[in-house]
Amino acid sequence: MPDFEAHVLLVLVVPVLTGSSPFSLSSFFMDKDNRDDFTFAKLSDLKLPVTFRISQLEGSIPQPSVSELLENPELRFHGAQSSALSDLYVSCQLLADNKPLTIPFRTSFKAFKNNYTWNEWITLPIRYCDLPLSSQITFTVWDIGAPRTAVPVGSSTFRMFGKKWTLRRGKHRLLLWAGQEADGSMQTKTPSKLGSRDEMGRLEKLVKKYERGDLPKSDWLDNMAFRKMEEIHAAETEKSENMYLYIDLPRFDFPVIFSEAEAQNQATIPFAPPAAAQTPVTPVLPSYFATDPHLWTILDPEIARENPVEDKHRRLVRSHRSSPYDRELKPNAKIRDELNEILNYAPSQPLNSEEKDLIWKFRFYLARDKRGLTKFLKSVTWRDPSEVKQAVEELLPMWTEVDTDDALELLGPGTVDSRVRAFAVRQLNRADDEELLLYLLQLVQALKFESAASEQRSSRSTTSAISYDDSGLTDFLIARGVQNHTLGNRLYWYLIVEVELEDRLVAKMYGRVVFKFLNKILESENGSERRELMRRQGVLVETLAKRAKELRTSKDPRPKKIEKLRSFINDSKNGLVNIPPLPLPLNARMEITGINAEKSSVFKSNLYPFLLYFQCSDGTEYPVIFKDGDDMRQDQLVLQLFTLMDQLLRKENLDLKLIPYDVLATGPLQGMVQFIPSKTIAAIISENGTLLNYLRANNPDEGSVGTYGVEPSVIDTFVRSCAGYCVVTYLLGVGDRHLDNLLLTPDGHFFHVDFGYILGRDPKPFPPPVKVCKEMVDGMGGAQSTHYTRFKNYCFTAFTILRKSANLILNLVALMVDAHIPDIQHRDVHEQIQEKFLLNLTEEEAIKHFEALLNETSYFTVVLDRIHDLAQYWRS
Ligand SMILES: *[C@@H]1O[C@H](CO)[C@@H](O)[C@H](O)[C@H]1NC(C)=O
Ligand SMILES: *[C@@H]1O[C@H](CO)[C@@H](O)[C@H](O)[C@H]1NC(C)=O
Ligand SMILES: *[C@@H]1O[C@H](CO)[C@@H](O)[C@H](O)[C@H]1NC(C)=O
Ligand SMILES: *[C@@H]1O[C@H](CO)[C@@H](O)[C@H](O)[C@H]1NC(C)=O
Ligand SMILES: *[C@@H]1O[C@H](CO)[C@@H](O)[C@H](O)[C@H]1NC(C)=O
Ligand SMILES: *[C@@H]1O[C@H](CO)[C@@H](O)[C@H](O)[C@H]1NC(C)=O
Ligand SMILES: *[C@@H]1O[C@H](CO)[C@@H](O)[C@H](O)[C@H]1NC(C)=O
C-alpha cells in the first residue's frame, strides 16, 4: 500500500495552457459548450488518498412480499419493514479490472429518525495517483436482519473516471439496484447510471457543472433556480420507484485527467515545438491519449513521418534508466486489451513504433507472459546499446519460459544477439527426442543464422552491445544427436546434404559441425562402432546412387534396366544381398540386413527411380524408392510438415489416418522415400472404374449397405484420410495435383505424393484451393452421403486444431527460407501460409470460409463451367 498522506485537499498548481499556442493542447479538451480557457491537472500529481462522503439514501425501500416472508421468516425482523427506520449501513470497496484494490469499508453504526443520512467521509488507503483508469467503487446498502445476517437493500457501482479520463468530482446520485449486492466486475450488473435521464438527472448534472464553476454564477437567479430544483427534486423523489444513494467527491480546482506516474517523458516531444523540447514544464499526457479520437482531433504531422530525432525521442520515451516505475507498471484494462492484441499478432506481422513503445513500456509486466518475449525483442532498438543491455541482461533472464513455436521464431534470421538465441536453445532443451525430431530439419537450417558460425564476424562493429558469441545451438544439436541414435542419424544426413550444397561458405560451416559431431560420437560409448555404421550408410547410399545414375542415363528399355538392377543387387561383390545389420539412413529405427533382389524394380518414369525391398533384421521388409537426379528436399520438407501436423492432430485425439511416409534427401540431387504399397487413383479408375469398386474388391462386406458393401472400417479410413490430406495440402498450398499423384492403399488409406509445387504454385490453370477430386467424393458415396458430411466435419476439426498451431507451422517454414528449396526462396512464405490459416478471421468465420472453399469442389453445388475447369485440372 502506498503511504498515507495526511494532506488536506489542495488546489493543484498546473501549467495553464492557452488557445493561442500553435501546439496548444487545450482545444483537445474543449467541450462545445465550454469556455475557451481550460486547465487540467494530471492524476499522477495527485498524491492524496482517495476520499468520498456517503451522504444519504433516498427513494422507497422495497418491502419483502408476503411469499418472501413465508419462505424467509427472519425477514420479518428487518427494520426496513417495521415502522421505525432500521439500522442500514453502507459498505463500499474500490476495484479495478475485476480485482479489489482495497478491502471493503463500511459506514459506522447510526440510528436514523426520519431519513437515512450518513454524511460520513470514507478515506481509502490508496492514493489517487495509483488509481487505474478502470477504478470503480461498489456501494451496497445493507439491512441488519436476524443476528449476524445482513441482507442487501440495494447496490450500485460507480466509475471513478468519467468521459475523457476525467476523475469525477462533486455530488453524485447513484441508482441503487434493489435487493442485490454490488457487482464490481468490469461489465457491472449494477451500474450507478442508466442510459435514460429523468429531469432530476438533468438538473443534477447542471448543478454539478455549476459547482465546478463551469457555469457562470448569478446569485439571485441561482437562488431562485435552486428553490425550483428543490421542488422538482421532491416531486421526482416522491414518484420515483427507485432508490438512490448520494455521495460527495472532493472538488478539485481543475479537472483531473487520468495519467500514469511513469509517463513523465511520454509523448511530450511530438506535440511540442522543437524549442520547447527542453522545457521541462511542458504539460504531459500519456501517449495512449493519442488513440482516443475525442482527444486528438489534431495530430502533429511530424508524428507519421520518419524523424531525424526519432532515436532521441525514443530514448526519452523509453527512458529506461530514469524510470524505476516501469518495474511496477501494470496496464489498465484498455491497455491490456491492446497489449493482448499485439501479442496475438502472427510472427510475421511487423510492429509499428507506437506498438513497440507500448510493449517496451510494459516490458516488466509482460515478462510474465510467455507470448510476450518475441514481441518484446521486436520492440528493442538493437542499435541502442543501453536498450540492448537492459533487454538482454536484465529482462531476458527474468522472462518466463516460452513455447516451442516462439523459441523457433527466435532462432530465425531476425535474431542476431547470441544471448537471445541461447535463451531459445535452452527452451528447446525441454523438448523430448520425439518432438525434437519434428523440428530437426529446421534447426539444422537455423545454424545458418548463427552469427558465431558466420565468416563475417570479424567485420562487425565492436562498439555495439550485441553479442555475437556462440549461442550453443551447434553443441545442443550435437549433444542430442549423440544421445539418441535415431536423432543422430537424421542430424548426420541433414548436415551432410548441406555440406554438399554449392554455397562454399555455408558448406564449410556445416563441414565443421559434421566434424565436431563425429568427434563427439567417437568420444561416446561404443562411439567407434557408431562411427563405422555411419560410414557404411554413406557407402550404401553412394553405391546405390552410382548405379541409379548409370541406369537412368543408359539407353536400355525399362525391362532391361530392371534386369540389370536385380543382377547388380544379386551380385555379392556389391554387398547388397547380405548386409551386416545397419540402421537404414531413411529410418534409423529399421535395421536392414539386405535387399531382396527379386522384388526390386525400376519405376516407369523419366528418372527411373529404383524400388528396393530392404530386408530388416526383425523379419519385415521395408520398401524404399531410391531416386537420383531429383532434388528431394522440398518433398522432405512437406512430409516433415505433414508428420508434424499429424502429431498435432493426434495430440488432440484426432487420427486422420495420414501416411506421413519417410523422405530423406541424401544429397542435393538424390534421396530415399518410403514406398507405400498402393495404386494411383488413375490406375484404379481405369482398372476398376471407381474407388468403391476397388475398396470393395479388397475388403468386401456384403452385409454393410451403409458402406456400399465395403468393410466399414475401410470406408472410415478412407473418409478420414481424405479429410486429413484435404486440410494439410490446402495449408501448404500443394499444387500440380492429378490422378497420378493421388494414391490409395487397398485398406482405404488415401494419400498424396510428389510435392514439386507448393505454397500456391501450380503449373496448371485454375487450381482449386482445396484439392478434392470428384473420384474422392464419389468414393464417399457422393456429396449428399453421410460419409461426405463426416468428411466435412473432420476437415473442419482438423483445420481448427491446426489453426491453433499456425505460429509453429509458420515459424518452421520461415526457418527454411535460406534452404534453397525451390518454392520457399524469394517468396513471402509467411504471407502465403498465413492467408491459408485465415488468421484475421474468428474461428467460426474461418470455418465458414473453409466450407465455402470445400463447397466449390463438392461437385453438386458448383456451376457447370467450374466443373469443366476442375475436370481439366485433375487431368494428368
Ligand atoms: C434528515 O434528518 C436529519 C435529522 O435526523 C435532518 O437534520 C435533515 O434535515 C433531514 N434531511 C432531509 C432531507 O429530510
Ligand atoms: C530416440 O528418439 C526417438 C524419437 O526421435 C524415440 O522414439 C526413441 O525412443 C529415442 N531413443 C532413446 C534411447 O531415447
Ligand atoms: C555398447 O556395446 C555393448 C556390446 O556390444 C553393449 O552391450 C552396450 O549396450 C552398448 N552400449 C550402448 C550405449 O549402446
Ligand atoms: C541371384 O543369384 C542366385 C545365385 O547366386 C540365383 O539363383 C538367383 O536366381 C539370382 N536371382 C536374381 C533375381 O538374379
Ligand atoms: C478391381 O481391383 C482388384 C484389385 O485391386 C482386382 O483384383 C479386380 O479384378 C478389379 N475388379 C474389377 C471389376 O475391375
Ligand atoms: C483477411 O485477409 C485476407 C487476405 O489475407 C483478405 O482477403 C480478407 O478480406 C481479410 N478478411 C478480413 C475480415 O479482414
Ligand atoms: C456449403 O454447402 C452446403 C450444402 O449445400 C450448405 O448447406 C452450406 O451452407 C454451404 N456453405 C457455404 C459456406 O457456402
Side-chain angles (χ1 to χ4, degrees):
M1 275 302 142
D3 285 345
F4 228 128
E5 287 185 35
H7 284 217
V8 283
L9 298 181
L10 293 177
V11 169
L12 288 147
V13 182
V14 292
V16 176
L17 296 162
T18 64
S20 55
S21 154
F23 290 90
S24 165
L25 297 167
S26 63
S27 54
F28 305 128
F29 286 100
M30 279 183 348
D31 272 334
K32 284 186 286 292
D33 50 351
N34 275 1
R35 291 171 301 156
D36 285 343
D37 288 331
F38 211 91
T39 52
F40 65 92
K42 290 182 293 166
L43 183 74
S44 53
D45 289 338
L46 194 51
K47 308 236 190 287
L48 303 170
V50 174
T51 307
F52 52 89
R53 183 169 70 173
I54 296 178
S55 305
Q56 68 202 79
L57 178 71
E58 278 187 5
S60 48
I61 296 168
Q63 307 293 311
S65 70
V66 178
S67 60
E68 273 178 310
L69 278 176
L70 285 173
E71 270 176 43
N72 298 306
E74 78 274 14
L75 288 176
R76 199 183 303 277
F77 305 110
H78 285 188
Q81 228 235 126
S82 58
S83 54
L85 290 184
S86 57
D87 304 333
L88 299 189
Y89 69 90
V90 183
S91 70
C92 51
Q93 187 173 23
L94 180 64
L95 301 100
D97 305 339
N98 303 325
K99 286 190 205 72
L101 297 180
T102 66
I103 55 162
F105 282 73
R106 51 163 289 183
T107 54
S108 45
F109 172 80
K110 201 168 174 199
F112 300 102
K113 287 213 183 75
N114 49 22
N115 61 38
Y116 291 107
T117 304
W118 288 274
N119 277 343
E120 182 174 338
W121 283 96
I122 301 233
T123 301
L124 300 179
I126 186 167
R127 298 180 303 177
Y128 282 102
C129 55
D130 298 319
L131 288 180
L133 186 54
S134 60
S135 303
Q136 48 192 11
I137 309 178
T138 61
F139 293 92
T140 307
V141 181
W142 298 92
D143 186 2
I144 303 185
R148 277 193 303 277
T149 60
V151 277
V153 173
S155 65
S156 194
T157 303
F158 176 74
R159 295 188 62 91
M160 297 283 287
F161 293 90
K163 273 181 288 183
K164 304 179 183 175
W165 288 281
T166 324
L167 183 67
R168 291 196 154 133
R169 301 176 287 167
K171 199 176 211 31
H172 285 267
R173 182 182 71 155
L174 317 183
L175 174 67
L176 286 184
W177 295 76
Q180 335 185 6
E181 207 175 320
D183 171 15
S185 66
M186 293 302 293
Q187 261 74 48
T188 180
K189 292 201 237 1
T190 56
S192 63
K193 275 205 177 74
L194 285 178
S196 61
R197 282 216 185 79
D198 55 16
E199 181 62 4
M200 200 54 227
R202 192 184 74 82
L203 284 177
E204 275 169 4
K205 219 175 148 148
L206 284 173
V207 173
K208 267 184 282 173
K209 266 190 164 172
Y210 177 86
E211 286 177 336
R212 287 201 301 249
D214 294 355
L215 293 181
K217 300 201 180 188
S218 158
D219 280 348
W220 65 271
L221 235 176
D222 291 350
N223 281 338
M224 260 178 64
F226 279 123
R227 257 202 312 281
K228 180 71 184 158
M229 280 166 64
E230 290 283 317
E231 285 166 27
I232 295 173
H233 187 186
E236 286 278 341
T237 309
E238 193 71 10
K239 75 165 191 236
S240 170
E241 308 216 314
N242 291 334
M243 284 182 292
Y244 296 101
L245 182 69
Y246 283 81
I247 60 168
D248 290 289
L249 303 173
R251 297 181 173 88
F252 301 106
D253 281 12
F254 301 104
V256 178
I257 310 290
F258 176 79
S259 66
E260 285 181 88
E262 91 303 335
Q264 284 302 325
N265 295 308
Q266 205 82 8
T268 318
I269 308 306
F271 303 110
Q278 285 86 15
T279 326
V281 293
T282 315
V284 166
L285 291 167
S287 63
Y288 40 78
F289 269 35
T291 61
D292 186 83
H294 300 295
L295 278 174
W296 296 135
T297 47
I298 302 164
L299 272 180
D300 185 336
E302 294 289 319
I303 206 165
R305 249 184 272 146
E306 278 292 340
N307 194 319
V309 296
E310 193 196 318
D311 268 11
K312 184 171 179 191
H313 158 58
R314 179 171 35 239
R315 274 202 299 281
L316 281 169
V317 166
R318 297 192 169 187
S319 66
H320 35 274
R321 274 168 298 184
S322 59
S323 186
Y325 297 106
D326 281 9
R327 266 158 234 282
E328 315 298 331
L329 196 59
K330 291 189 181 59
N332 59 38
K334 181 169 176 289
I335 305 255
R336 213 172 41 218
D337 289 347
E338 276 174 45
L339 287 170
N340 243 325
E341 203 173 303
I342 299 172
L343 296 195
N344 285 331
Y345 284 172
S348 56
Q349 184 155 345
L351 305 182
N352 65 33
S353 65
E354 280 90 48
E355 289 166 337
K356 285 179 182 174
D357 286 348
L358 191 66
I359 294 277
W360 177 266
K361 183 172 161 188
F362 290 102
R363 60 199 180 284
F364 286 97
Y365 169 80
L366 288 173
R368 280 168 288 168
D369 193 327
K370 57 185 178 181
R371 298 169 305 158
L373 184 61
T374 55
K375 307 296 187 245
F376 166 66
L377 291 168
K378 278 183 183 165
S379 307
V380 175
T381 315
W382 289 94
R383 62 181 178 281
D384 179 341
S386 58
E387 269 195 42
V388 171
K389 199 161 144 52
Q390 192 185 71
V392 179
E393 289 175 15
E394 191 176 351
L395 277 135
L396 188 62
M398 63 187 266
W399 216 280
T400 187
E401 293 182 336
V402 302
D403 285 339
T404 311
D405 52 344
D406 283 343
L408 290 167
E409 184 181 342
L410 293 181
L411 288 174
T415 309
V416 176
D417 195 292
S418 64
R419 291 162 296 184
V420 178
R421 303 182 71 88
F423 177 87
V425 172
R426 284 198 298 279
Q427 307 299 309
L428 286 175
N429 213 355
R430 301 203 312 265
D432 60 19
D433 291 337
E434 204 81 43
E435 191 180 358
L436 202 59
L437 194 58
L438 292 174
Y439 317 133
L440 190 63
L441 183 61
Q442 280 80 11
L443 292 176
V444 168
Q445 289 302 316
L447 289 172
K448 285 181 184 158
F449 311 127
E450 291 281 294
S451 43
S454 157
E455 295 284 309
Q456 283 108 29
R457 190 186 169 192
S458 51
S459 68
R460 291 220 163 90
S461 144
T462 47
T463 56
S464 157
I466 295 173
S467 159
Y468 298 107
D469 293 342
D470 188 353
S471 76
L473 179 59
T474 309
D475 290 342
F476 165 71
L477 292 178
I478 288 176
R480 296 294 293 263
V482 169
Q483 226 176 65
N484 184 305
H485 294 207
T486 313
L487 208 58
N489 187 75
R490 278 269 153 172
L491 177 62
Y492 174 73
W493 282 104
Y494 288 161
L495 292 170
I496 287 292
V497 172
E498 294 297 328
V499 173
E500 290 180 26
L501 282 168
E502 60 276 24
D503 186 338
R504 300 267 308 280
L505 214 60
V506 173
K508 237 167 112 183
M509 180 274 288
Y510 280 109
R512 284 195 300 271
V513 179
V514 175
F515 183 73
K516 202 169 172 186
F517 179 41
L518 292 178
N519 276 339
K520 286 283 175 202
I521 286 199
L522 280 177
E523 287 170 19
S524 70
E525 199 186 340
N526 300 345
S528 48
E529 282 167 39
R530 259 185 95 184
R531 176 71 193 85
E532 174 61 12
L533 291 179
M534 286 178 171
R535 191 193 62 80
R536 284 178 47 217
Q537 283 191 345
V539 170
L540 172 70
V541 166
E542 211 174 316
T543 309
L544 291 172
K546 191 156 165 270
R547 194 67 190 163
K549 191 166 190 170
E550 275 170 23
L551 284 185
R552 171 165 69 85
T553 47
S554 82
K555 295 217 156 49
D556 296 328
R558 182 165 161 256
K560 185 82 184 152
K561 288 183 204 280
I562 295 175
E563 194 193 310
K564 277 188 170 175
L565 171 67
R566 285 180 180 161
S567 63
F568 176 76
I569 294 170
N570 209 16
D571 186 344
S572 56
K573 283 204 301 281
N574 297 316
L576 297 175
V577 192
N578 288 304
I579 304 176
L582 179 71
L584 182 66
L586 179 60
N587 181 348
R589 279 172 266 207
M590 306 310 294
E591 195 179 52
I592 54 169
T593 54
I595 302 177
N596 184 328
E598 270 107 304
K599 281 188 151 181
S600 295
S601 181
V602 174
F603 280 100
K604 191 170 84 188
S605 127
N606 45 359
L607 288 179
Y608 296 104
F610 291 170
L611 171 62
L612 305 170
Y613 272 83
F614 280 99
Q615 202 66 55
C616 299
S617 52
D618 62 1
T620 59
E621 273 180 342
Y622 191 96
V624 166
I625 301 165
F626 189 92
K627 210 177 199 177
D628 177 75
D630 204 3
D631 185 351
M632 309 286 281
R633 288 171 310 136
Q634 186 157 309
D635 276 45
Q636 177 173 283
L637 170 68
V638 170
L639 266 303
Q640 179 245 355
L641 292 172
F642 283 179
T643 310
L644 171 83
M645 293 192 217
D646 187 34
Q647 295 293 325
L648 293 171
L649 296 174
R650 283 168 189 274
K651 242 199 250 169
E652 302 281 327
N653 281 322
L654 187 62
D655 178 2
L656 289 186
K657 309 284 180 191
L658 297 178
I659 304 183
Y661 53 85
D662 289 321
V663 181
L664 179 71
T666 52
L669 280 177
Q670 66 181 41
M672 297 175 145
V673 182
Q674 181 186 3
F675 175 73
I676 308 290
S678 55
K679 273 192 166 171
T680 66
I681 303 293
I684 292 171
I685 297 301
S686 77
E687 284 169 32
N688 288 65
T690 69
L691 301 188
L692 272 176
N693 288 346
Y694 168 79
L695 292 176
R696 197 182 303 111
N698 285 294
N699 316 273
D701 181 354
E702 275 163 37
S704 185
V705 180
T707 52
Y708 321 103
V710 182
E711 235 176 73
S713 69
V714 172
I715 293 291
D716 183 58
T717 299
F718 178 66
V719 167
R720 284 172 186 258
S721 52
C722 282
Y725 278 97
C726 166
V727 174
V728 298
T729 57
Y730 160 78
L731 289 176
L732 294 186
V734 171
D736 190 25
R737 295 295 91 190
H738 47 74
L739 301 186
D740 280 314
N741 54 28
L742 306 182
L743 282 82
L744 185 59
T745 67
D747 63 354
H749 286 88
F750 167 87
F751 65 106
H752 286 243
V753 295
D754 292 344
F755 302 99
Y757 294 87
I758 59 170
L759 297 176
R761 242 164 41 90
D762 208 310
K764 299 193 211 171
F766 311 120
V770 176
K771 304 296 191 291
V772 179
C773 64
K774 186 170 188 307
E775 289 75 9
M776 290 162 69
V777 179
D778 290 344
M780 296 178 229
Q784 259 135 342
S785 71
T786 56
H787 301 298
Y788 185 75
T789 309
R790 254 180 348 113
F791 158 80
K792 272 170 79 167
N793 287 335
Y794 281 135
C795 285
F796 301 154
T797 313
F799 181 57
T800 311
I801 292 171
L802 294 178
R803 234 175 134 248
K804 293 198 182 103
S805 295
N807 286 355
L808 176 60
I809 294 164
L810 285 169
N811 288 333
L812 284 173
V813 176
L815 281 171
M816 301 301 289
V817 286
D818 271 8
H820 303 286
I821 287 179
D823 285 359
I824 294 192
Q825 23 186 348
H826 314 303
R827 302 172 62 83
D828 206 335
V829 180
H830 255 123
E831 230 157 69
Q832 284 277 332
I833 297 193
Q834 206 175 313
E835 262 174 38
K836 301 283 183 169
F837 281 111
L838 305 167
L839 293 179
N840 58 351
L841 305 182
T842 66
E843 188 173 293
E844 213 175 310
E845 291 167 337
I847 288 177
K848 212 165 198 121
H849 187 91
F850 189 74
E851 186 184 18
L853 295 180
L854 259 186
N855 276 2
E856 251 185 68
T857 58
S858 69
Y859 300 94
F860 81 113
T861 48
V862 181
V863 288
L864 222 54
D865 287 13
R866 188 69 187 135
I867 289 182
H868 178 74
D869 288 344
L870 289 172
Q872 285 294 113
Y873 180 85
W874 288 102
R875 273 211 242 148
S876 309

